[in-house]
Amino acid sequence: MLAEHTLSNYSNSPNLLTQLQTELVRLQQAHDLETHIDEKIRLEVLIVNKQQTLWRAYQQETARLRSKRSFSAAINLWKEALSFLRQADFMPSIQTELAELTQLEQQALVIGELKQCLSRVKELRPFFPELIQALGQAVGTANFSLLKEQIEFFLQNAPADHEGFLLWWQMERETTFTPSNNLDMTRLAARIQQGDMVLFIGSGVIENQSSSQQMVAQLAEYIGYQHFNGTLSSIAEYYQLRPEFGTSALLNSLRAQLPKTPISVHLYQALAKITAPVVLISATYDNLLETALRHSGKPFVELASIVRRSEDYDIGHVFVSFSDQRQTPRVYPEEELSRLRFIEDGYSIIYKIRGTCALDPSRDEAILRDALTLTESHYFNFARYAERIIPSYVARQLRNRGFLFVGYQPSHWEERLLAGALLERRQSQESCYVLGNSPNPLEDAYWAARNVKSHPISLSEFDRYLAEGLV
């Protein structure tokens, strides 16, 4: 019998991927040769667990290669992954990784070519370092094409037009190519109060709440899993895989860590005072935002996408609950949901992109579970059906509004998956923004690649501007 391992077991090994690949192949060979149905089922569980561990290892190695701008090596890595992760659940995410990395590799090659050409133009030598730096920082963003086209146009006319190019560059570098911290917070707050900005809210807006790592440690401690070193989705998956625990034990353990009484969150209190209907994306499992709006009397609808089908509904259907209980909470098919007019009827929208774990006697527990994205398997399912899971109705509300991430950190692949899927469904030309100053280079690189502009403004400062506008 082969022993199971978590990713942390290999953290000190330089041959992590090779070891995991070898173990996966052995498990698959044992499964193919096994004739007893019970043993085959046991091996299938081990294979799924090993595939997901291998997936995380590929993600970690890709992040390391990206930080070194070794895009070609990262592409080869994911092409290799296709041999080991052939299941349909992984294919969309792998194809997305390959497409992004291919684009980054092509842009890196362009930078090399332009660097050689620019180095030969003596009139540009004083500006050469900052031009190359700007190109590197623009990789993966719309600004890359703009700068590339201007440089190529100049090179075709060099050296005669170097003065015109330098004039253009001196104007553009102060606005487009220099990170700006001068965000007009007063105007931003006004747009939010007018319902013209969508807020994507993460758990970082809640002060003094247990960190994700502490929550994971508690979940592991509840079931005696010592020295666990993984994400929330990993420990949740472990609960699901062990028959003596399962979903009920997982939700009970998680609910035990959610606030027992309502906590006053400054941002939530400010949003509850806004007169206009607002569109909010919540990535938290608690119901603190909903409680704040309900206590203020602000009408809203809570939406949660079904991510697991049943006899009564399918993936992509949406659970809808009215704060004023105007209608009984129920599941709507996509086409029926698209005909509803929540905003026009004065309701704000809270889209629970992960679902909720909070207990609610008025709701069917089975539906809440089928609208919950918590375990690794749930996230793989989300990646597979993201275009169906994120309602077209919600996507339309995002299209003609600004978009702001608050208290949300894409430090793990699960967070990057959710944010990326939503941004792709948004399909808007208007820029997105994120508030906060992350010390994590991976987060900075992710936001830059998604063309999300980062502004190092503290949450307390943001709360203050929003509150002042409501006085």
Side-chain angles (χ1 to χ4, degrees):
M1 181 183 298
L2 294 171
E4 292 185 67
H5 299 283
T6 63
L7 193 56
S8 59
N9 294 125
Y10 299 95
S11 57
N12 297 321
S13 171
N15 299 314
L16 166 62
L17 289 171
T18 301
Q19 292 181 46
L20 291 173
Q21 291 163 357
T22 301
E23 292 177 0
L24 178 59
V25 169
R26 288 175 178 171
L27 283 170
Q28 290 170 333
Q29 290 174 341
H31 177 269
D32 292 342
L33 295 173
E34 184 57 55
T35 57
H36 293 87
I37 187 64
D38 291 343
E39 181 63 12
K40 285 183 78 72
I41 292 174
R42 189 190 72 84
L43 288 170
E44 286 172 1
V45 173
L46 294 179
I47 288 171
V48 169
N49 192 33
K50 192 65 64 181
Q51 288 170 334
Q52 293 171 351
T53 304
L54 181 58
W55 167 264
R56 296 196 300 273
Y58 276 119
Q59 290 243 327
Q60 290 183 5
E61 180 63 9
T62 300
R64 186 185 70 82
L65 293 172
R66 278 195 182 215
S67 67
K68 297 174 60 178
R69 296 190 177 275
S70 301
F71 303 123
S72 179
I75 289 172
N76 291 333
L77 187 72
W78 282 110
K79 288 180 178 178
E80 174 190 275
L82 291 170
S83 302
F84 295 93
L85 303 172
R86 293 185 293 270
Q87 285 69 17
D89 288 352
F90 296 102
M91 291 303 295
S93 297
I94 293 177
Q95 295 297 343
T96 299
E97 287 280 357
L98 284 170
E100 289 183 1
L101 289 166
T102 299
Q103 181 187 37
L104 294 173
E105 181 188 38
Q106 291 171 349
Q107 292 181 351
L109 291 174
V110 169
I111 290 177
E113 295 171 358
L114 294 178
K115 184 176 180 180
Q116 289 184 353
C117 296
L118 288 172
S119 65
R120 303 189 189 105
V121 183
K122 63 179 182 180
E123 290 85 358
L124 293 186
R125 286 175 187 168
F127 303 91
F128 181 74
E130 65 184 47
L131 279 168
I132 297 304
Q133 182 182 19
L135 272 170
Q137 292 175 343
V139 165
T141 73
N143 290 336
F144 180 86
S145 297
L146 173 62
L147 184 53
K148 169 181 170 292
E149 290 170 4
Q150 288 293 333
I151 292 177
E152 288 177 340
F153 179 78
F154 162 74
L155 290 171
Q156 292 172 4
N157 298 279
D161 195 35
H162 71 272
E163 292 183 356
F165 176 78
L166 288 176
L167 180 62
W168 172 85
W169 171 243
Q170 288 171 356
M171 290 188 297
E172 288 292 323
R173 70 178 176 180
E174 298 300 327
T175 55
T176 306
F177 297 101
T178 299
S180 173
N181 297 331
N182 299 323
L183 183 63
D184 190 331
M185 291 298 297
T186 302
R187 290 189 178 183
L188 178 66
R191 289 192 68 186
I192 295 172
Q193 291 152 18
Q194 295 163 7
D196 194 36
M197 291 287 294
V198 177
L199 268 61
F200 189 117
I201 303 172
S203 59
V205 302
I206 305 173
E207 298 178 1
N208 302 321
Q209 177 172 274
S210 298
S211 68
S212 175
Q213 291 86 349
Q214 291 173 317
M215 183 176 291
V216 170
Q218 285 290 334
L219 289 173
E221 183 179 339
Y222 287 150
I223 56 175
Y225 193 145
Q226 298 181 354
H227 311 300
F228 179 80
N229 182 22
T231 62
L232 177 58
S233 70
S234 300
I235 192 63
E237 186 74 19
Y238 182 74
Y239 270 80
Q240 295 278 63
L241 293 173
R242 294 295 297 269
E244 67 269 39
F245 302 129
T247 302
S248 294
L250 171 62
L251 291 179
N252 289 338
S253 298
L254 189 58
R255 284 165 175 163
Q257 298 189 61
L258 297 179
K260 302 295 187 301
T261 57
I263 296 175
S264 179
V265 180
H266 295 305
L267 175 60
Y268 294 170
Q269 298 302 320
L271 292 173
K273 294 177 182 178
I274 294 175
T275 303
V278 292
V279 179
L280 307 171
I281 314 295
S282 173
T284 67
Y285 290 114
D286 58 59
N287 63 354
L288 295 177
L289 173 60
E290 299 91 294
T291 300
L293 268 61
R294 187 176 287 108
H295 283 177
S296 73
K298 186 176 180 64
F300 66 90
V301 290
E302 180 184 337
L303 311 181
S305 298
I306 298 297
V307 295
R308 283 173 302 285
R309 59 174 55 92
S310 76
E311 295 179 355
D312 301 318
Y313 42 76
D314 198 1
I315 292 173
H317 289 188
V318 181
F319 178 72
V320 179
S321 176
F322 288 80
S323 63
D324 57 7
Q325 299 181 343
R326 187 185 77 175
Q327 296 183 26
T328 303
R330 71 178 183 91
V331 176
Y332 287 77
E334 170 73 10
E335 57 274 14
E336 187 176 348
L337 180 72
S338 296
R339 292 195 293 268
L340 299 179
R341 298 170 60 84
F342 300 128
I343 296 291
E344 293 80 358
D345 291 341
Y347 289 91
S348 292
I349 295 172
I350 300 177
Y351 177 50
K352 301 287 284 189
I353 193 168
R354 283 187 170 115
T356 182
C357 291
L359 282 171
D360 188 338
S362 68
R363 303 182 186 184
D364 188 324
E365 177 77 3
I367 295 177
L368 292 181
R369 292 187 181 191
D370 288 336
L372 189 63
T373 299
L374 178 57
T375 70
E376 286 182 340
S377 298
H378 297 163
Y379 281 99
F380 291 136
N381 213 38
F382 189 101
R384 182 179 183 183
Y385 297 107
E387 191 166 346
R388 289 171 56 186
I389 287 174
I390 298 175
S392 297
Y393 177 85
V394 171
R396 287 199 303 274
Q397 303 305 318
L398 310 182
R399 206 155 291 152
N400 297 316
R401 291 179 170 87
F403 200 93
L404 179 67
F405 289 92
V406 184
Y408 190 78
Q409 296 178 310
S411 54
H412 297 113
W413 68 268
E414 299 94 329
E415 283 78 19
R416 294 193 292 276
L417 169 65
L418 296 180
L422 201 66
L423 290 173
E424 288 178 10
R425 289 285 279 145
R426 180 172 178 251
Q427 296 180 345
S428 174
Q429 297 300 315
E430 184 171 353
S431 297
C432 298
Y433 305 91
V434 58
L435 299 186
N437 193 8
S438 170
N440 188 328
L442 175 58
E443 292 181 22
D444 292 338
Y446 177 79
W447 291 132
R450 291 289 180 176
N451 201 24
V452 176
K453 298 179 181 179
S454 179
H455 292 277
I457 295 170
S458 69
L459 183 60
S460 60
E461 185 179 2
F462 173 64
D463 289 341
R464 179 172 60 83
Y465 274 98
L466 193 55
E468 286 176 354
L470 294 167
V471 175

